[in-house]
Amino acid sequence: MEQRYLGRSGLRVSRTALGTMTWGRDTDADEAATQLMAYADAGGTLVDTADVYSDGEAERILGTLLDEVVPRDELVLATKAVARRTEGPFGGGASRGALLSALDGSLRRIGVDHIDLWQLHAWDTGVPIEESLSALDHAITSGKVRYAGISNYSGWQLATAALTPTTYPLISTQVEYSLLERGIEREVAPAARHHGLGLLPWAPLGRGVLTGKYRNGTPPDSRGASAHFAGYVEQHRNDRAARIVQAVSTAAEGLGTSALCVALAWVRDRPGVVAPVVGARDTNQLLASLEAEELTLPPAIRAALDDVSAIELGYPERPMP
């Protein structure tokens, strides 16, 4: 698998990341082990998790697999903090105390002495950004973290964080980005490029909708049929999405590949993107995503997909005539 530098840093990661949001809930430990082995065998290196995924179980499962399935030093481990885990003053949020407490918890659950990429999961309106970033600096200085990033920040939030004086600059931002969700192209993506942050798209398959599985209803074994993911998927099921899904399916038929591969290849090779984060309930789903490594979209197909999924840019994102 091709390796790319993450933002304006020397950290190199595979151009497809393995997400673990389903681990511990829809994906048990045995299936997670099979996924991790298949991903590493394909040349994948970046594994992304968070302290709140399955109430910490995703991190715990990942920890049991390190060295037993894949050597720790062959993976780039990324996790996140900020979301509330427990009640109390240090159970969530982006205060210095809460963040450093969350980091210790992640290290304990994963069973490692450092995290390669530690990310602020969301902007905390109640905490000065200087305080939050000071926790990232402290974590890196202490050796518990190697690099820091952010997630789900708007354009102005990203710019504010990037311009706040720190010892160690941010290197990445993780955001939703797909043919169905191109909103980051208005401000987030330009801000990230300007400030040297690499893009790590989550939900690159439009929360599963771009695979075409929902064209004729909701499969009973899909996320859209589950109690905790139904609303998550439903957001991208509308008339506009149907037109885009049809275009993706047509392109896939012409190329002799899957709609999944077309959708993933499109976002993977967008400007500023380093590694889409692909999550899968089982190994077969993951292997289907890894097949996209062999696909580069022809310019004509890429242009057609750009057109059918284009978003309207208003003032001031659209240059004045």
Side-chain angles (χ1 to χ4, degrees), residues 223-288:
R223 285 185 181 181
S226 67
H228 49 273
F229 278 124
Y232 173 84
V233 174
E234 193 64 28
Q235 181 174 327
H236 288 323
R237 298 179 69 180
N238 50 48
D239 291 342
R240 174 180 177 270
R243 292 192 295 273
I244 296 171
V245 170
Q246 179 58 55
V248 171
S249 297
T250 300
E253 291 173 7
L255 294 172
T257 187
S258 67
L260 184 159
C261 285
V262 170
L264 187 55
W266 180 88
V267 71
R268 183 197 65 208
D269 295 329
R270 293 294 290 173
V273 168
V274 176
V277 182
V278 175
R281 291 195 318 277
D282 57 51
T283 305
N284 286 336
Q285 287 185 344
L286 176 61
L287 292 174

Side-chain angles (χ1 to χ4, degrees), residues 5-235:
Y5 286 104
L6 185 54
R8 198 175 295 156
S9 80
L11 179 63
R12 295 175 70 241
V13 299
S14 56
R15 67 175 182 174
T16 299
L18 176 62
T20 64
M21 189 171 68
T22 65
W23 288 16
R25 181 157 52 186
D26 298 319
T27 305
D28 63 24
D30 289 339
E31 185 62 38
T34 305
Q35 283 189 21
L36 184 60
M37 186 180 302
Y39 175 69
D41 286 346
T45 62
L46 177 57
V47 180
D48 180 74
T49 189
D51 59 355
V52 292
Y53 288 173
S54 302
D55 296 324
E57 188 63 20
E59 288 186 329
R60 281 189 284 269
I61 289 175
L62 176 59
T64 66
L65 305 181
L66 297 179
D67 293 327
E68 291 293 327
V69 175
V70 179
R72 161 67 179 96
D73 59 6
E74 293 182 8
L75 297 174
V76 176
L77 300 182
T79 193
K80 313 178 196 73
V82 170
R84 182 151 293 279
R85 308 176 313 281
T86 63
E87 296 303 321
F90 305 118
S95 71
R96 178 184 175 90
L99 287 174
L100 295 178
S101 176
L103 175 59
D104 287 341
S106 290
L107 292 171
R108 182 175 62 254
R109 285 186 293 273
I110 303 175
V112 294
D113 61 3
H114 72 274
I115 300 297
D116 298 305
L117 176 64
W118 193 37
Q119 303 154 98
L120 299 181
H121 211 159
W123 179 273
D124 188 337
T125 58
V127 179
I129 188 62
E130 294 85 356
E131 178 177 342
S132 302
L133 295 180
S134 74
L136 300 184
D137 263 0
H138 177 78
I140 295 175
T141 300
S142 70
K144 294 181 179 180
V145 167
R146 297 293 188 258
Y147 296 91
I150 53 178
S151 180
N152 301 311
Y153 275 37
S154 67
W156 74 263
Q157 291 167 349
L158 184 156
T160 299
L163 291 172
T164 299
T166 59
T167 303
Y168 304 99
L170 300 167
I171 69 168
S172 66
T173 181
Q174 190 171 151
V175 284
E176 182 172 7
Y177 190 26
S178 73
L179 278 160
L180 298 184
E181 181 52 83
R182 295 179 61 180
I184 70 162
E185 293 177 9
R186 294 187 175 94
E187 292 191 351
V188 174
R193 287 195 297 272
H194 181 76
H195 292 290
L197 278 68
L199 295 173
L200 298 173
W202 60 264
L205 302 176
R207 308 187 182 198
V209 175
L210 286 166
T211 65
K213 69 171 67 175
Y214 298 104
R215 294 176 71 181
N216 299 311
T218 302
D221 61 344
S222 67
R223 285 185 181 181
S226 67
H228 49 273
F229 278 124
Y232 173 84
V233 174
E234 193 64 28
Q235 181 174 327

